[in-house]
Amino acid sequence: MTAGTEGRGMAELAALLADGTRAGICVALLDGRAWTAGELARRAGVAPSTASDHLTRLVRGGLLVEERQGRHRYLRLAGPSVAQLIEDLAGHAPAAPPPTGSLRAATATAALAYARTCYDHLAGRLGVLMYDALLAGGRLDRSSGLALTADGWAWATELGVPVHLLRTGRRPVVRDCLDWTERRPHLAGALGAALCRRFTDLGWISQGTGRTIRLTPTGRVAIAETLDVPDGTLAPAPSPAPSSGRA
């Protein structure tokens, strides 16, 4: 493949995401679920026929895959690598302005920044804190590329993570993913996904609205203990007051 051919391929991919509606659809699908075309149309604020055209282009471009069940058309991101691409692009985008309008909107924005899913792993302040704690505790090492240490494998085993699946899977065990709200890495890869599932199974976290993740009272104590961080470290920051939009 020549440089010119690769360049054209990159340009076609960039064109797919250069449209605000298509980019917004991909961001919505970072929750890891499959959405119907109608749900995505409402989320994007466009007519179903308009959304259908955008979704067809995203499927043809390899960013989404579709599944049909009866009359319904479900769409989801094509896989973890696509989710990584979307999250990385969001992390390099200009910072979003402070929330304006209602207290509800400001609270929702703060909740999303505190903890959310990035496809199948934890993101937001909680995800970054976990990444930093594992590094500080010697369970992750970055001296020659991010890797899980022997202590990290033992910790994951003790937590009940099915480490044999991590060792035999095709997906990288650990990978850093640039967080678009914190502008620092959170933990992705097979371990990041496994920890998100394990914390859910243990009742330490629960699904909130959309991509938002709620930390349960039990989870706040348990996660702080397993990460060896003070309990207060996991407390969410107070919700910012909504801006009136005036100088």
Side-chain angles (χ1 to χ4, degrees):
M1 182 180 294
T2 66
T5 302
E6 292 179 348
R8 285 192 293 274
M10 289 176 62
E12 290 172 0
L13 176 61
L16 278 176
L17 294 171
D19 179 88
T21 297
R22 290 195 292 273
I25 286 171
C26 290
V27 170
L29 290 170
L30 278 173
D31 66 358
R33 297 181 297 171
W35 291 41
T36 67
E39 289 171 335
L40 290 170
R42 289 190 293 273
R43 175 62 181 266
V46 297
S49 58
T50 301
S52 180
D53 178 64
H54 286 305
L55 293 170
T56 297
R57 293 186 63 178
L58 289 168
V59 170
R60 288 176 178 170
L63 296 180
L64 305 186
V65 293
E66 66 176 359
E67 300 171 0
R68 292 189 178 272
Q69 293 186 9
R71 297 169 56 189
H72 294 290
R73 179 191 188 194
Y74 290 90
L75 297 111
R76 56 181 173 80
L77 295 180
S81 62
V82 174
Q84 177 188 353
L85 171 65
I86 302 302
E87 185 80 3
D88 285 350
L89 287 173
H92 286 89
T100 60
S102 69
L103 178 61
R104 177 180 295 182
T107 301
T109 299
L112 192 69
Y114 173 67
R116 64 183 182 275
T117 51
C118 173
Y119 191 62
D120 60 1
H121 55 271
L122 290 173
R125 192 161 71 87
L126 179 60
V128 170
L129 184 149
M130 181 172 69
Y131 179 92
D132 290 344
L134 292 176
L135 278 173
R139 293 160 179 162
L140 289 177
D141 181 73
R142 299 185 64 178
S143 59
S144 57
L146 189 66
L148 191 61
T149 66
D151 285 346
W153 283 108
W155 172 80
T157 301
E158 184 178 350
L159 190 60
V161 172
V163 294
H164 63 286
L165 297 179
L166 306 186
R167 293 181 184 276
T168 58
R170 298 177 59 185
R171 188 174 181 182
V173 174
V174 289
R175 181 180 59 76
D176 46 21
C177 182
L178 181 63
D179 195 278
W180 67 267
T181 52
E182 294 293 311
R183 307 288 162 148
R184 294 189 294 130
H186 59 244
L187 181 65
L191 178 62
L195 288 174
C196 187
R197 290 192 299 271
R198 185 60 179 153
F199 289 176
T200 301
D201 292 343
L202 290 169
W204 294 356
I205 59 175
S206 63
Q207 186 72 48
T209 303
R211 296 172 60 197
T212 303
I213 290 294
R214 296 192 182 102
L215 186 60
T216 67
T218 300
R220 179 171 298 173
V221 175
I223 293 177
E225 182 178 335
T226 196
L227 293 178
D228 297 325
V229 298
D231 183 19
T233 307
L234 298 179
S239 299
S243 170
S244 65
R246 298 176 182 174

